[in-house]
């Protein structure tokens, strides 16, 4: 299989599986516990149907939207994900440049393998930084201040990862601290020499944003779950979030909001957006899918705060359904990591091109000339 054989997220996933050693592939692909939430995040889009309008003159269709203070070319962007160099040696350079080329947000994780400063050199498109609240307040402040100096346009605080989720695939493959690779996993590294040689002889990667502040686990890529459990502040509360919003002073999203109550509190503390998300099913298994919770949250707060749907997106029509229920934009994680693993920057560009085309084609077939025309009457949950 080659990149030119990839037409949809499933194809990119297959190629990623072919290219990556097993432990790495399963780190991307897996979810928490029984992976019920992971599966539901995508299957919940099938519970409803789109209702097209016809004869509406769709000779000009504008699929751009404005979110977090930025106009983006289409209503889908890259969620923050950890350690891109582990999936492809070009790492965040590949993903940030692909996002820039397609005129959409790139989100940089606190746990990235490129620093805030490097990414601002790589790409000049709109960038969001994803913050975790560390026990060391100085570290959190340092991240916020560096983003201001480096021209980042928005920030999000992840609120659903107070401890690491139980990812059993990682235990089975030995993607743990310390690494406890099984014979099968070791064999898998040996069977992927392209990846393994780059890893052994290429530049060593590290958690570039935080390596200078702490030596706990930041240079051992296998220890990410330990890092979360040791460094993140489990006393994180609304005051921490409010402090980060004030210190940042620009567009700010809370990522991982799932309840109406929390959405209302996000407004009270001055957030400009919420990302409805369960971390791609990687944290609390059994939690509701973002799409299933979207309508309730939009009905309660959609006129007061931007609502972003994060998780489960595999098709342009998934984005259309979310927008019809009132989301401002959608974001995705796994889909672009498969594409990155499958083919670096050209891989991510191919995926973005396919999804952008699907959104544009879908809106044309729906008879919608702009995202504003994707309204609630265009979707039904009736049988
Ligand atoms: C491999 C991987 C690493 C991730 N790392 C982070 C991270 O560092 N910070 C964060 O807020 N979310 C992280 N996420 C969650 C994503 O931002 C996003 O919420 C999730 O992937 C959306 O679901 P989807 O994968 O179905 O699109 C990660 C997801 C994956 C798959």
């Amino acid at each position: 299989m080659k990149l030119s054989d990839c037409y949809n997220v499933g194809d990119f996933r297959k190629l990623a599986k072919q290219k990556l050693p097993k432990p790495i592939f399963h780190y991307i692909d897996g979810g928490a516990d029984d992976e019920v939430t992971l599966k539901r995040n995508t299957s919940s889009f099938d519970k409803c149907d789109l209702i097209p309008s016809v004869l509406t003159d769709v000779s000009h269709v504008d699929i751009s939207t404005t979110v977090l203070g930025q106009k983006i070319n289409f209503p889908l962007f890259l969620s923050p994900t950890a350690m891109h160099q582990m999936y492809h040696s070009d790492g965040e350079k590949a993903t940030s440049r692909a996002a820039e080329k397609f005129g959409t947000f790139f989100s940089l994780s606190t746990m990235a393998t490129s620093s805030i400063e490097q990414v601002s050199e790589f790409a000049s498109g709109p960038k969001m930084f994803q913050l975790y609240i560390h026990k060391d307040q100085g570290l959190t402040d340092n991240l916020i201040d560096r983003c201001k100096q480096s021209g980042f346009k928005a920030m999000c605080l992840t609120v659903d990862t107070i401890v690491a989720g139980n990812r059993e695939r990682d235990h089975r493959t030995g993607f743990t601290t310390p690494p406890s690779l099984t014979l099968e996993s070791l064999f898998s590294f040996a069977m992927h020499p392209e990846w393994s040689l780059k890893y052994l002889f290429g530049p060593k990667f590290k958690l570039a944003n935080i390596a200078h502040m702490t030596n706990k686990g930041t240079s051992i890529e296998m220890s990410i779950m330990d890092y979360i459990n040791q460094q993140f502040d489990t006393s994180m509360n609304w005051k921490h979030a409010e402090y980060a919003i004030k210190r940042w002073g620009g567009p700010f999203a809370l990522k991982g909001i799932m309840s109406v109550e929390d959405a209302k509190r996000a407004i009270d503390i001055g957030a400009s957006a919420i990302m409805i998300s369960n971390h791609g099913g990687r944290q609390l298994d059994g939690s509701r899918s973002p799409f299933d919770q979207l309508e309730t949250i939009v009905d309660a707060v959609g006129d007061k705060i931007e609502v972003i749907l994060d998780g489960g997106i595999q098709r342009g029509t998934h984005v259309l359904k979310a927008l019809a229920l009132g989301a401002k934009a959608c974001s995705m994680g796994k889909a672009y990591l498969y594409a990155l693993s499958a083919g670096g920057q050209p891989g991510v560009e191919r995926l973005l091109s396919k999804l952008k085309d699907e959104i544009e084609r879908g809106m044309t077939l729906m008879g919608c000339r702009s995202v504003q025309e994707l309204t609630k009457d265009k979707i039904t949950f009736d049988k």
Side-chain angles (χ1 to χ4, degrees), residues 24-39:
I24 313 293
F25 173 77
H26 287 293
Y27 174 68
I28 301 178
D29 197 55
D33 296 0
D34 298 313
E35 303 190 340
V36 172
T37 294
L38 168 73
K39 292 182 200 105

Side-chain angles (χ1 to χ4, degrees), residues 42-57:
T42 297
S43 66
S44 63
F45 288 102
D46 297 337
K47 289 186 194 163
C48 63
D49 301 307
L50 293 164
I51 306 171
S53 298
V54 295
L55 302 173
T56 61
D57 181 0

Side-chain angles (χ1 to χ4, degrees), residues 234-254:
T234 48
S235 76
M236 178 169 73
N237 58 47
W238 289 96
K239 285 207 170 69
H240 292 90
E242 189 171 10
Y243 171 85
I245 291 171
K246 290 221 169 82
R247 190 168 183 109
W248 171 245
F252 198 110
L254 293 187

Side-chain angles (χ1 to χ4, degrees), residues 79-82 109 130 132 158 255 279-280 282 310-312 332-334:
S79 301
T81 54
S109 167
Q130 176 266 321
Y132 282 122
T158 299
K255 175 174 183 284
H279 217 99
R282 300 162 72 81
D310 173 68
M332 60 176 166
K334 282 183 285 292

Side-chain angles (χ1 to χ4, degrees), residues 290-308:
F291 185 70
D292 284 339
Q293 192 64 350
L294 177 63
E295 188 177 9
T296 311
I297 292 185
V298 169
D299 285 351
V301 299
D303 55 339
K304 298 184 197 76
I305 194 163
E306 289 181 344
V307 178
I308 297 161

Side-chain angles (χ1 to χ4, degrees), residues 25-136:
F25 173 77
H26 287 293
Y27 174 68
I28 301 178
D29 197 55
D33 296 0
D34 298 313
E35 303 190 340
V36 172
T37 294
L38 168 73
K39 292 182 200 105
R40 203 174 286 153
N41 282 356
T42 297
S43 66
S44 63
F45 288 102
D46 297 337
K47 289 186 194 163
C48 63
D49 301 307
L50 293 164
I51 306 171
S53 298
V54 295
L55 302 173
T56 61
D57 181 0
V58 281
S59 46
H60 297 287
V61 173
D62 177 6
I63 64 170
S64 68
T65 191
T66 299
V67 69
L68 292 159
Q70 294 295 305
K71 187 171 182 209
I72 53 175
N73 287 351
F74 64 116
L76 177 63
F77 66 87
L78 275 54
S79 301
T81 54
M83 300 187 295
H84 292 187
Q85 272 184 45
M86 194 162 67
Y87 321 121
H88 189 279
S89 53
D90 290 342
E92 287 83 5
K93 187 196 275 185
T95 39
S96 60
R97 288 191 175 166
E100 177 185 24
K101 202 156 167 188
F102 279 79
T104 195
F105 259 110
F106 171 73
S107 311
L108 182 69
S109 167
T110 291
M111 317 294 266
T113 40
S114 304
S115 69
I116 293 163
E117 293 75 15
Q118 283 173 313
V119 170
S120 71
E121 292 281 312
F122 293 154
S124 58
K127 287 179 286 290
M128 169 155 80
F129 184 76
Q130 176 266 321
L131 191 67
Y132 282 122
I133 299 285
H134 284 70
K135 284 180 188 153
D136 175 356

